[in-house]
Amino acid sequence: MANEIQNTRTAGLIEQIRARTPARILVPRAGISYATDTQLKLRGDHAVALDAVHQELDTFLEYGLSPGSLFEVMSAAYSKKEYLLRPDLGRILSEDACREIVPRCPRGRDVQFVIGDGLSALAVERQVPAILPRLTELAAKMEWTLGQPFVVRYCRVGIINDIGRLLEPNVVVLLIGERPGLATSESLSAYLAFRPRPGHTDAQRNLISNIHARGIPPLLAAERIILAISRMLSAQSSGVGIDISGPEPLPLPPPKL
Amino acid sequence: MAFSSTLRGERFVFPNLGDLFAKANEEKSGDQLAGIAATSERQRVAAKMALAEVTLREIVEQPLIEPAVDDVSRRILEQLDQTAFAEISSLTLGEFRDRLLAGDYAGDALTTLQRGITPEIAAGLVKLMSNKDLILAASTIRNITRCRNTVGEPGVLAIRVQPNHPADDVAGILLSAIDGLTFGCGDAVIGVNPAGDSVEGVSAILHGLDRLITTLEIPTQHCCLAHITTQLAALKRGAPIDLLFQSVAGTQAANSSFGVSLSLLEEGRQQVLEHHHSRDMAWVGDDLMYFETGQGSALSADAHHGLDQLTLEARAYGVARQFQPFLVNSVVGFIGPEYLADERQIIRAGLEDHFMGKLLGLPMGCDVCYTNHADADQNSADNLLVLLTAAGCNYFMGVPCSDDVMLNYQSTSYHDAASMRRLFGLRPAPEFAAWMERRGAKDLLKLAEPVFRMTKHE
């Protein structure tokens, strides 16, 4: 009886403790090693992350827009492997890409949306079909002129500068897959820059990250992105010094795995 | 000045010492990214052959980065102990490797010699050594440091508890730390990487860690790994600081991209030293800096001066040893595959970093880790962990189940730490081991209950 009370008390305390952190604490042990369940859960979470990194973008996805409204180009990296080892190539458009973009995309628009696979095509597949139609809808309400959106395969954040050089929009918004962690492989980031040009750095960009169902839900993120664009347009600037925080604080990362 | 060698009748020429250093490196994707790596295996080995003939004096007399443009180069030359250097200056790198492996510089002889070895000499030496050489040579060097306990003695393996939290929830951090303590981890430091860099947040974490250590009377030190200026601002507002942390690199420009300078580091160390003496506490020693480094960081900041990442890493240790650190570790797989592509490169870099740091007199630990876009996994981390424990590494990271939920990478776990201690017959730091025996640290409830009471209303 005393043992049972002690065990219940221990279990209760462990539950209370684990509610305070998503860290994998107080897991069952096999001697000083992980119990089988823990070992396989870790392997499973890593497997999802690895597959997300190596997954190719699905060319046939329409991302929630009407059929044929998006087209795809490539960065200067020619394979996923080269992309992972040569970040410099992922930051510029291939020559073919430039030749395709120039005739298809109007220049000098208020806002240019671009989608990039980044380190998780899975994040793009899961979040973009929800966030992109909402972004175009809200941007239209703001009466901004919109560029023709397109998709870049093997894309790094720095490609924003090359797009700014080529199309000269006021604001580029790049929706790009984040590096997968064990907790989620579906997290998307939105990088925003006012009149980006070659040589600009992260200091001239703003970021809304952690966009996924258990982070910042895509529809809420779309509102935040629109707010940030309007601040940039009125300040005629972006990056350090531009406050893009909204009326409500954004939700914190999920408290529990 | 050009260097040359001949391999099976084929002659290879290297236009200068920097090029020779780069070509003689083991394969690293970061050197390839910088466009300075060997383009064939023959060229790589030919460079090693030519490098083996270079004397230590030649290396010191031909700085790879001009002292006029780089304060790290200046400081390295100013601090060189000429008497110690005179003992070895006429040796070639090949001869120096032979003597070192033959055990000519054991114990006190090595301690005397360490200040006569420049980072570039250490880097050149490593290019001539196999992985096993690096393990064997490092295993004979003990660099012992003291703060609130003693780390680095023979037979000791210390562990940093790394209880990071994605929202910097102090209760979550402390409870996560307790899990590590029950495994006998936390003797190196209880060190938190904050998610935010605000003075308020960092102060709250420092006060929380201090209460944990005080309440449980743990003979260890805490640290919040924010930018040094944030930590010093927290100190000014009354937060307690045991270890002062900063990431450092091997060039003035790279350090500048981190927002630090040599004078800022010295000023910070002095402030925290005075703060230690003002606290009513029995300090075991005055070693109080904690530095993290990693191959590739200078290139990543476009501050590499065309040098290879191994040599730049050695120079980061040249920076670290100016400031009498308590802990130094490279974060060897964190930077990503563009600098260290796969398991083989990460393992090599981990062994290189550990040996170079030890040779230069540093209390080297290692964050054995990888990101999910590198060609590595937890089995790779297991492998490097075993190799570095065999090499006598001072400490490793203890992360709950190796999954850092704030930084989003995988390191080594409390379980891994316990496994290494058992496998190699190692103990925690002596003061900490004695505390564990007193407290019966294996009883989770005894440790967690007071902390849970202390934090549950936060």
Side-chain angles (χ1 to χ4, degrees), chain A residues 6 9-10 13-14 16-17 20-29 32-34 38 42-43 46 49-50 53 84-88 119 156 179-182 252-253 257, chain B residues 33 165-167 169 171-172 175-176 179 182-183 337-338 341 370-373 376-377 379 400-403 405 407-408 410 413 415 418-419 422 444-445 448-449 452 458:
Chain A
Q6 182 65 28
R9 202 162 141 253
T10 307
L13 182 62
I14 288 178
Q16 283 179 295
I17 289 173
R20 292 307 298 246
T21 173
R24 297 171 203 243
I25 59 172
L26 308 175
V27 297
R29 305 176 190 180
I32 51 173
S33 301
Y34 302 137
T38 306
L42 281 166
R43 283 300 299 265
H46 187 235
L50 279 180
V53 167
L84 288 173
L85 295 178
R86 291 289 303 273
D88 51 328
L119 289 168
R156 298 261 176 186
R179 189 181 84 201
L182 293 199
L252 289 170
L257 279 176
Chain B
L33 181 64
H165 191 287
D169 178 87
L175 292 163
S176 183
D179 192 27
T182 67
F183 275 92
E338 59 267 42
Y370 60 100
T371 59
N372 292 325
H373 62 317
D377 58 21
N379 288 333
C401 294
S402 77
D403 171 18
V405 293
L407 293 171
N408 265 324
Q410 287 89 253
S413 68
H415 302 72
S419 303
R422 180 177 296 177
L444 166 71
L445 277 181
E449 265 184 329
F452 198 69
E458 281 180 3

Coordinates of all heavy atoms in Angstrom, one line a residue, chain A residues 6 9-10 13-14 16-17 20-29 32-34 38 42-43 46 49-50 53 84-88 119 156 179-182 252-253 257, chain B residues 33 165-167 169 171-172 175-176 179 182-183 337-338 341 370-373 376-377 379 400-403 405 407-408 410 413 415 418-419 422 444-445 448-449 452 458:
Chain A
Q6 N 3.4 5.7 -2.9 CA 4.7 6.3 -3.4 C 4.8 6.3 -4.9 O 5.2 7.3 -5.5 CB 5.9 5.5 -2.8 CG 7.3 6.0 -3.1 CD 7.5 7.4 -2.5 OE1 6.9 7.8 -1.5 NE2 8.3 8.2 -3.2
R9 N 2.5 8.9 -6.4 CA 3.1 10.2 -6.2 C 4.2 10.5 -7.1 O 4.3 11.5 -7.7 CB 3.6 10.2 -4.7 CG 3.7 11.6 -4.2 CD 3.8 11.6 -2.6 NE 4.7 12.6 -2.2 CZ 5.9 12.3 -1.8 NH1 6.3 11.0 -1.7 NH2 6.7 13.3 -1.4
T10 N 5.1 9.5 -7.3 CA 6.2 9.6 -8.3 C 5.7 9.9 -9.7 O 6.1 10.8 -10.4 CB 7.1 8.4 -8.3 OG1 7.4 8.1 -6.9 CG2 8.3 8.6 -9.1
L13 N 4.3 13.3 -10.0 CA 5.4 14.3 -10.1 C 6.0 14.3 -11.4 O 6.3 15.4 -12.0 CB 6.4 14.1 -9.0 CG 7.5 15.1 -8.9 CD1 7.0 16.5 -8.5 CD2 8.5 14.6 -7.8
I14 N 6.3 13.1 -12.0 CA 7.0 13.0 -13.3 C 6.1 13.7 -14.3 O 6.6 14.4 -15.2 CB 7.3 11.5 -13.6 CG1 8.5 11.1 -12.7 CG2 7.6 11.4 -15.1 CD1 8.8 9.6 -12.9
Q16 N 3.9 16.1 -13.9 CA 4.0 17.6 -13.7 C 5.3 18.1 -14.2 O 5.3 19.2 -14.8 CB 3.9 17.9 -12.2 CG 2.5 17.8 -11.7 CD 2.5 18.1 -10.2 OE1 3.0 17.4 -9.4 NE2 1.8 19.2 -9.8
I17 N 6.4 17.4 -14.0 CA 7.7 17.9 -14.4 C 7.7 17.9 -16.0 O 8.2 18.9 -16.6 CB 8.8 17.0 -13.9 CG1 8.9 17.2 -12.4 CG2 10.1 17.3 -14.6 CD1 9.9 16.3 -11.7
R20 N 6.4 20.7 -18.1 CA 7.1 22.0 -18.2 C 8.1 22.2 -19.3 O 8.7 23.2 -19.5 CB 7.9 22.3 -16.8 CG 7.0 22.5 -15.6 CD 6.0 23.6 -15.8 NE 6.5 24.9 -16.0 CZ 6.4 25.9 -15.2 NH1 5.8 25.8 -14.0 NH2 6.8 27.1 -15.5
T21 N 8.4 21.1 -20.0 CA 9.4 21.2 -21.0 C 9.2 20.1 -22.1 O 8.8 19.0 -21.8 CB 10.9 21.0 -20.5 OG1 11.8 21.0 -21.6 CG2 11.0 19.8 -19.6
P22 N 9.4 20.5 -23.4 CA 9.3 19.5 -24.5 C 10.6 18.6 -24.5 O 10.6 17.7 -25.3 CB 9.2 20.4 -25.7 CG 9.9 21.6 -25.4 CD 9.7 21.9 -23.9
A23 N 11.6 18.9 -23.7 CA 12.8 18.0 -23.7 C 12.4 16.6 -23.2 O 11.5 16.4 -22.5 CB 13.8 18.6 -22.7
R24 N 13.1 15.6 -23.7 CA 12.8 14.2 -23.5 C 13.5 13.8 -22.1 O 14.5 13.1 -22.1 CB 13.4 13.4 -24.6 CG 12.8 13.7 -25.9 CD 13.5 12.9 -27.1 NE 13.2 13.6 -28.3 CZ 12.6 13.1 -29.4 NH1 12.2 11.9 -29.3 NH2 12.4 13.8 -30.5
I25 N 12.8 14.3 -21.0 CA 13.4 14.0 -19.7 C 12.7 12.8 -19.0 O 11.5 12.5 -19.4 CB 13.5 15.2 -18.8 CG1 12.1 15.8 -18.6 CG2 14.4 16.3 -19.4 CD1 12.1 16.9 -17.5
L26 N 13.4 12.3 -18.1 CA 12.8 11.2 -17.2 C 12.3 10.0 -18.1 O 11.2 9.5 -17.8 CB 11.7 11.8 -16.3 CG 12.1 13.0 -15.5 CD1 10.8 13.6 -14.8 CD2 13.2 12.7 -14.6
V27 N 13.0 9.7 -19.1 CA 12.6 8.5 -19.9 C 13.0 7.2 -19.3 O 13.9 7.2 -18.5 CB 13.2 8.6 -21.3 CG1 12.7 9.9 -22.1 CG2 14.7 8.6 -21.3
P28 N 12.2 6.2 -19.6 CA 12.6 4.9 -19.0 C 13.9 4.4 -19.4 O 14.4 4.7 -20.5 CB 11.5 3.9 -19.5 CG 10.5 4.8 -20.2 CD 11.1 6.1 -20.5
R29 N 14.6 3.7 -18.5 CA 16.0 3.3 -18.8 C 16.1 1.7 -18.9 O 15.3 1.0 -18.3 CB 17.0 3.7 -17.7 CG 16.9 5.2 -17.4 CD 17.8 5.5 -16.3 NE 17.6 6.9 -15.8 CZ 18.3 7.5 -14.8 NH1 19.2 6.8 -14.1 NH2 18.0 8.7 -14.5
I32 N 21.8 1.7 -18.1 CA 22.2 3.1 -18.4 C 21.8 3.5 -19.8 O 22.2 4.6 -20.3 CB 23.6 3.5 -18.0 CG1 24.6 2.5 -18.7 CG2 23.8 3.5 -16.5 CD1 26.0 2.8 -18.6
S33 N 21.2 2.6 -20.5 CA 20.8 2.9 -21.9 C 19.3 3.3 -22.1 O 18.6 3.2 -21.1 CB 21.1 1.7 -22.8 OG 22.5 1.3 -22.7
Y34 N 19.0 3.7 -23.3 CA 17.5 4.0 -23.5 C 16.8 2.7 -23.5 O 17.3 1.7 -24.0 CB 17.3 4.7 -24.9 CG 18.1 5.9 -25.1 CD1 18.7 6.2 -26.4 CD2 18.1 6.9 -24.2 CE1 19.4 7.4 -26.6 CE2 18.8 8.1 -24.4 CZ 19.4 8.3 -25.6 OH 20.1 9.5 -25.9
T38 N 12.2 4.4 -26.3 CA 12.8 5.6 -26.5 C 13.8 5.6 -27.7 O 13.8 6.5 -28.5 CB 13.6 6.0 -25.2 OG1 12.8 5.9 -24.1 CG2 14.3 7.4 -25.3
L42 N 13.4 7.9 -31.1 CA 14.4 8.9 -31.6 C 14.8 8.6 -33.0 O 14.9 9.5 -33.8 CB 15.7 8.7 -30.7 CG 15.7 9.4 -29.3 CD1 16.8 8.9 -28.4 CD2 15.8 10.9 -29.5
R43 N 15.0 7.3 -33.3 CA 15.3 6.9 -34.7 C 14.2 7.3 -35.6 O 14.4 7.8 -36.7 CB 15.6 5.4 -34.8 CG 16.9 4.9 -34.3 CD 18.1 5.6 -35.0 NE 18.1 5.2 -36.4 CZ 18.8 4.3 -37.0 NH1 19.5 3.5 -36.2 NH2 18.7 4.1 -38.3
H46 N 14.2 11.1 -36.2 CA 15.4 11.5 -37.1 C 15.1 11.0 -38.5 O 15.4 11.7 -39.5 CB 16.7 10.8 -36.6 CG 17.9 11.3 -37.3 ND1 18.8 10.5 -37.9 CD2 18.3 12.6 -37.6 CE1 19.7 11.2 -38.5 NE2 19.5 12.4 -38.3
A49 N 13.0 13.6 -40.3 CA 13.8 14.7 -40.6 C 14.7 14.5 -41.8 O 14.8 15.3 -42.7 CB 14.7 15.2 -39.4
L50 N 15.4 13.3 -41.8 CA 16.3 13.0 -42.9 C 15.6 13.0 -44.2 O 16.0 13.5 -45.2 CB 17.0 11.7 -42.7 CG 18.2 11.6 -41.7 CD1 18.7 10.2 -41.6 CD2 19.3 12.6 -42.2
V53 N 14.7 16.4 -45.5 CA 15.9 17.1 -46.1 C 16.1 16.6 -47.6 O 16.4 17.4 -48.4 CB 17.1 16.9 -45.3 CG1 18.4 17.3 -46.1 CG2 17.0 17.6 -44.0
L84 N 23.3 20.9 -50.9 CA 23.7 20.8 -49.5 C 25.2 21.2 -49.3 O 25.5 21.8 -48.2 CB 23.5 19.4 -49.0 CG 22.0 19.0 -48.9 CD1 21.9 17.5 -48.5 CD2 21.3 19.8 -47.8
L85 N 26.0 21.0 -50.2 CA 27.5 21.3 -50.0 C 27.9 22.7 -50.5 O 28.9 23.1 -50.2 CB 28.3 20.2 -50.7 CG 28.2 18.8 -50.2 CD1 29.0 17.8 -51.0 CD2 28.6 18.8 -48.7
R86 N 27.0 23.3 -51.4 CA 27.4 24.6 -51.9 C 26.3 25.6 -51.7 O 25.6 26.0 -52.6 CB 27.7 24.4 -53.5 CG 28.9 23.6 -53.8 CD 30.2 24.3 -53.5 NE 30.3 25.6 -54.2 CZ 30.8 25.8 -55.4 NH1 31.2 24.8 -56.1 NH2 30.8 27.0 -55.9
P87 N 26.2 26.2 -50.5 CA 25.2 27.2 -50.2 C 25.3 28.4 -51.2 O 24.3 29.0 -51.4 CB 25.5 27.6 -48.8 CG 26.8 27.1 -48.4 CD 27.1 25.9 -49.3
D88 N 26.5 28.7 -51.6 CA 26.7 29.8 -52.5 C 25.8 29.6 -53.8 O 25.3 30.6 -54.3 CB 28.1 30.1 -52.9 CG 28.8 28.8 -53.4 OD1 28.5 27.7 -52.9 OD2 29.8 28.9 -54.2
L119 N 15.5 23.7 -46.8 CA 16.0 22.4 -46.3 C 14.8 21.4 -46.0 O 15.0 20.4 -45.4 CB 16.8 22.6 -45.1 CG 18.2 23.2 -45.4 CD1 18.9 23.6 -44.1 CD2 19.1 22.2 -46.1
R156 N 18.2 28.8 -51.4 CA 18.7 29.4 -50.1 C 18.1 30.8 -49.9 O 17.7 31.4 -50.9 CB 20.2 29.5 -50.0 CG 20.9 28.2 -50.2 CD 21.3 27.6 -48.8 NE 22.0 26.3 -49.0 CZ 22.3 25.5 -48.0 NH1 22.1 25.9 -46.7 NH2 22.9 24.3 -48.2
R179 N 15.3 24.0 -41.8 CA 16.0 22.8 -41.5 C 15.2 21.9 -40.5 O 14.8 22.4 -39.4 CB 17.4 23.2 -40.9 CG 18.3 22.0 -40.7 CD 19.6 22.4 -40.1 NE 19.5 22.4 -38.6 CZ 20.3 23.1 -37.8 NH1 21.2 23.8 -38.3 NH2 20.1 23.0 -36.6
P180 N 14.9 20.7 -40.9 CA 14.1 19.9 -40.0 C 14.7 19.6 -38.6 O 15.9 19.4 -38.6 CB 13.9 18.6 -40.8 CG 14.1 19.0 -42.2 CD 15.2 20.0 -42.1
G181 N 14.0 19.7 -37.6 CA 14.4 19.2 -36.3 C 13.8 17.9 -35.9 O 13.0 17.4 -36.7
L182 N 14.0 17.4 -34.8 CA 13.4 16.1 -34.4 C 11.9 16.4 -34.1 O 11.1 15.5 -34.2 CB 14.1 15.5 -33.2 CG 15.5 14.9 -33.4 CD1 15.9 13.9 -32.4 CD2 15.6 14.3 -34.8
L252 N 4.1 30.7 -28.4 CA 5.4 30.1 -28.1 C 5.4 28.7 -28.7 O 4.4 28.2 -29.1 CB 5.6 30.0 -26.6 CG 5.8 31.3 -25.9 CD1 5.7 31.1 -24.4 CD2 7.1 31.9 -26.3
P253 N 6.6 28.2 -28.9 CA 6.7 26.8 -29.4 C 5.9 25.8 -28.5 O 5.6 26.1 -27.4 CB 8.2 26.5 -29.3 CG 8.8 27.8 -29.2 CD 7.9 28.7 -28.6
L257 N 5.9 17.6 -26.6 CA 6.1 16.8 -27.8 C 4.8 16.0 -28.1 O 4.2 15.5 -27.2 CB 7.2 15.8 -27.7 CG 8.6 16.4 -27.9 CD1 9.6 15.3 -27.7 CD2 8.8 17.0 -29.3
Chain B
L33 N 34.8 24.4 -50.4 CA 33.9 25.6 -50.6 C 34.8 26.8 -50.8 O 34.5 27.7 -51.6 CB 33.0 25.7 -49.4 CG 32.0 26.8 -49.4 CD1 31.0 26.7 -50.6 CD2 31.2 26.9 -48.1
H165 N 15.6 25.3 -23.3 CA 14.2 25.3 -23.4 C 13.8 26.3 -24.5 O 14.3 27.4 -24.5 CB 13.6 25.7 -22.0 CG 12.1 25.5 -21.9 ND1 11.2 26.3 -22.6 CD2 11.3 24.5 -21.3 CE1 9.9 25.8 -22.4 NE2 10.0 24.8 -21.6
P166 N 12.9 25.9 -25.4 CA 12.5 26.7 -26.5 C 11.9 28.1 -26.1 O 11.9 29.0 -26.9 CB 11.6 25.9 -27.4 CG 11.1 24.8 -26.5 CD 12.1 24.6 -25.5
A167 N 11.3 28.2 -24.9 CA 10.8 29.4 -24.5 C 11.5 30.0 -23.3 O 10.9 30.9 -22.6 CB 9.3 29.3 -24.2
D169 N 11.7 28.8 -20.4 CA 10.9 28.7 -19.1 C 11.9 28.2 -18.0 O 12.5 27.1 -18.1 CB 9.8 27.6 -19.4 CG 9.0 27.4 -18.2 OD1 8.0 28.1 -17.9 OD2 9.4 26.4 -17.4
A171 N 11.5 27.2 -14.9 CA 11.2 25.9 -14.2 C 11.5 24.7 -15.1 O 12.0 23.7 -14.7 CB 9.7 25.9 -13.8
G172 N 11.1 24.8 -16.4 CA 11.4 23.7 -17.3 C 12.9 23.5 -17.4 O 13.4 22.3 -17.5
L175 N 14.1 21.8 -14.1 CA 13.7 20.4 -14.0 C 14.4 19.5 -15.0 O 14.7 18.3 -14.7 CB 12.2 20.3 -14.2 CG 11.4 21.0 -13.0 CD1 10.0 21.3 -13.4 CD2 11.5 20.1 -11.8
S176 N 14.7 20.0 -16.1 CA 15.5 19.3 -17.1 C 16.9 19.0 -16.6 O 17.5 18.0 -16.8 CB 15.5 20.1 -18.4 OG 16.2 19.4 -19.4
D179 N 17.2 16.1 -14.2 CA 17.3 14.8 -14.9 C 18.7 14.5 -15.1 O 19.2 13.3 -14.9 CB 16.5 14.9 -16.2 CG 16.3 13.5 -16.8 OD1 16.2 12.5 -16.1 OD2 16.1 13.4 -18.1
T182 N 20.7 13.4 -11.9 CA 20.4 12.1 -11.5 C 21.3 11.1 -12.2 O 21.5 9.9 -11.8 CB 18.9 11.6 -11.6 OG1 18.6 11.6 -13.0 CG2 18.0 12.6 -10.9
F183 N 21.8 11.5 -13.4 CA 22.8 10.6 -14.1 C 24.2 10.9 -13.7 O 25.1 10.4 -14.3 CB 22.6 10.8 -15.6 CG 21.6 10.0 -16.3 CD1 20.3 10.5 -16.4 CD2 21.8 8.8 -16.8 CE1 19.3 9.8 -17.1 CE2 20.9 8.0 -17.4 CZ 19.6 8.5 -17.6
P337 N 26.8 20.6 -43.4 CA 27.6 19.8 -44.3 C 28.4 20.6 -45.3 O 29.3 20.1 -45.9 CB 26.5 19.0 -45.1 CG 25.3 19.8 -44.9 CD 25.4 20.5 -43.6
E338 N 28.2 21.9 -45.4 CA 29.0 22.7 -46.4 C 30.4 22.9 -45.8 O 31.4 23.3 -46.5 CB 28.4 24.0 -46.7 CG 28.1 25.0 -45.6 CD 26.7 24.8 -45.0 OE1 26.2 23.7 -44.9 OE2 26.1 25.8 -44.7
A341 N 31.2 17.6 -44.2 CA 30.1 17.0 -45.0 C 29.5 15.8 -44.4 O 28.3 15.6 -44.5 CB 30.6 16.6 -46.4
Y370 N 25.6 16.8 -34.6 CA 25.3 16.8 -36.0 C 24.0 17.5 -36.3 O 23.1 17.5 -35.4 CB 25.3 15.4 -36.6 CG 24.3 14.5 -36.1 CD1 23.1 14.2 -36.7 CD2 24.5 13.9 -34.8 CE1 22.1 13.4 -36.2 CE2 23.5 13.0 -34.3 CZ 22.3 12.8 -35.0 OH 21.4 12.0 -34.4
T371 N 23.8 18.0 -37.5 CA 22.5 18.5 -37.8 C 21.8 17.6 -38.8 O 22.4 16.7 -39.3 CB 22.7 19.9 -38.6 OG1 23.5 19.6 -39.7 CG2 23.4 20.9 -37.7
N372 N 20.5 17.8 -39.0 CA 19.8 16.8 -39.8 C 20.0 16.9 -41.3 O 19.5 16.1 -42.1 CB 18.3 16.9 -39.5 CG 18.0 16.5 -38.1 OD1 18.6 15.6 -37.6 ND2 17.1 17.2 -37.4
H373 N 20.8 18.0 -41.8 CA 21.1 18.0 -43.2 C 22.5 17.5 -43.5 O 23.0 17.6 -44.6 CB 20.8 19.3 -43.8 CG 21.6 20.5 -43.3 ND1 21.8 20.7 -41.9 CD2 22.1 21.6 -43.9 CE1 22.5 21.9 -41.8 NE2 22.7 22.4 -43.0
A376 N 25.2 12.3 -41.4 CA 25.7 11.7 -40.1 C 24.4 11.3 -39.3 O 23.3 11.8 -39.6 CB 26.5 12.7 -39.4
D377 N 24.6 10.5 -38.3 CA 23.4 10.2 -37.4 C 24.0 9.9 -36.0 O 25.1 10.1 -35.7 CB 22.7 9.0 -38.0 CG 23.5 7.8 -38.2 OD1 24.6 7.7 -37.5 OD2 23.1 6.9 -39.0
N379 N 24.6 7.2 -34.6 CA 25.6 6.2 -34.6 C 27.0 6.9 -34.8 O 28.0 6.5 -34.2 CB 25.4 5.1 -35.6 CG 24.2 4.2 -35.2 OD1 24.0 4.0 -34.0 ND2 23.6 3.6 -36.2
P400 N 19.1 16.0 -22.9 CA 18.1 14.9 -22.7 C 17.9 14.2 -24.0 O 17.5 14.7 -25.0 CB 16.9 15.7 -22.3 CG 17.4 17.0 -21.7 CD 18.6 17.3 -22.4
C401 N 18.2 12.9 -24.0 CA 18.1 12.0 -25.1 C 18.8 12.6 -26.4 O 18.3 12.3 -27.5 CB 16.7 11.6 -25.4 SG 15.9 10.6 -24.1
S402 N 19.8 13.4 -26.2 CA 20.6 14.0 -27.3 C 19.8 15.0 -28.2 O 20.4 15.6 -29.1 CB 21.2 12.9 -28.2 OG 20.2 12.4 -29.1
D403 N 18.6 15.2 -27.9 CA 17.7 16.1 -28.7 C 17.6 17.5 -28.1 O 16.9 17.7 -27.1 CB 16.3 15.4 -28.8 CG 15.3 16.3 -29.5 OD1 15.7 17.3 -30.2 OD2 14.1 16.0 -29.3
V405 N 16.0 20.7 -27.9 CA 14.7 21.2 -28.3 C 14.7 22.7 -28.6 O 13.7 23.2 -29.1 CB 13.6 20.8 -27.3 CG1 13.4 19.3 -27.3 CG2 13.9 21.4 -25.9
L407 N 17.9 24.4 -29.8 CA 18.9 24.7 -31.0 C 18.6 23.8 -32.2 O 19.2 24.0 -33.2 CB 20.3 24.5 -30.5 CG 20.8 25.5 -29.5 CD1 22.2 25.2 -28.9 CD2 20.9 26.9 -30.1
N408 N 17.7 22.7 -32.0 CA 17.3 21.9 -33.1 C 18.5 21.2 -33.7 O 18.7 21.2 -34.9 CB 16.6 22.7 -34.2 CG 15.1 22.6 -34.0 OD1 14.6 21.5 -33.6 ND2 14.4 23.6 -34.3
Q410 N 21.3 17.5 -32.8 CA 21.5 16.4 -31.8 C 22.9 16.3 -31.4 O 23.8 16.4 -32.1 CB 21.1 15.0 -32.5 CG 19.6 14.9 -32.6 CD 19.1 15.4 -34.0 OE1 18.5 16.5 -34.1 NE2 19.4 14.7 -35.0
S413 N 23.9 12.4 -25.0 CA 22.9 12.5 -23.9 C 23.6 12.1 -22.5 O 24.7 11.7 -22.4 CB 21.8 11.5 -24.2 OG 22.4 10.1 -24.2
H415 N 22.6 9.6 -20.9 CA 22.8 8.1 -21.0 C 24.2 7.8 -21.7 O 24.9 6.9 -21.2 CB 21.7 7.5 -21.9 CG 20.3 7.7 -21.4 ND1 19.7 8.9 -21.5 CD2 19.5 6.8 -20.8 CE1 18.5 8.8 -21.0 NE2 18.3 7.5 -20.6
A418 N 27.0 8.4 -19.1 CA 27.1 7.3 -18.1 C 27.7 6.1 -18.8 O 28.5 5.4 -18.2 CB 25.7 7.0 -17.6
S419 N 27.4 5.9 -20.1 CA 28.0 4.8 -20.8 C 29.5 4.9 -20.9 O 30.3 4.0 -20.7 CB 27.4 4.6 -22.2 OG 26.0 4.5 -22.1
R422 N 31.3 4.3 -17.6 CA 31.3 2.9 -17.2 C 32.4 2.2 -18.1 O 33.2 1.4 -17.7 CB 30.0 2.2 -17.4 CG 30.0 0.8 -17.0 CD 28.7 0.1 -17.1 NE 27.7 0.6 -16.1 CZ 26.5 0.2 -16.0 NH1 26.0 -0.7 -16.8 NH2 25.7 0.7 -15.1
L444 N 15.6 10.5 -7.5 CA 15.1 11.6 -8.2 C 14.2 12.5 -7.4 O 14.3 13.7 -7.4 CB 14.2 11.0 -9.4 CG 13.3 12.1 -10.1 CD1 14.1 13.1 -10.9 CD2 12.3 11.4 -10.9
L445 N 13.3 11.9 -6.6 CA 12.4 12.7 -5.8 C 13.1 13.6 -4.8 O 12.7 14.7 -4.7 CB 11.4 11.7 -5.0 CG 10.2 11.2 -5.8 CD1 9.4 10.4 -5.0 CD2 9.4 12.4 -6.4
A448 N 14.3 16.4 -7.0 CA 13.3 17.2 -7.8 C 12.3 18.0 -6.9 O 11.9 19.1 -7.2 CB 12.6 16.3 -8.7
E449 N 12.0 17.4 -5.7 CA 10.9 18.0 -4.9 C 11.2 19.4 -4.5 O 10.3 20.3 -4.7 CB 10.5 17.1 -3.8 CG 9.3 16.2 -4.2 CD 8.7 15.3 -3.2 OE1 9.5 14.9 -2.3 OE2 7.5 15.1 -3.2
F452 N 11.0 21.6 -7.5 CA 9.7 21.8 -8.1 C 8.8 22.7 -7.2 O 8.1 23.6 -7.7 CB 9.0 20.4 -8.2 CG 7.8 20.5 -9.1 CD1 8.0 20.6 -10.4 CD2 6.5 20.4 -8.6 CE1 6.9 20.7 -11.3 CE2 5.4 20.5 -9.4 CZ 5.6 20.6 -10.8
E458 N 6.1 29.9 -10.7 CA 6.6 30.8 -11.7 C 5.8 30.8 -13.0 O 5.2 29.9 -13.4 CB 8.1 30.5 -12.0 CG 9.0 31.0 -10.9 CD 10.5 30.6 -11.2 OE1 10.8 30.1 -12.2 OE2 11.2 30.9 -10.3

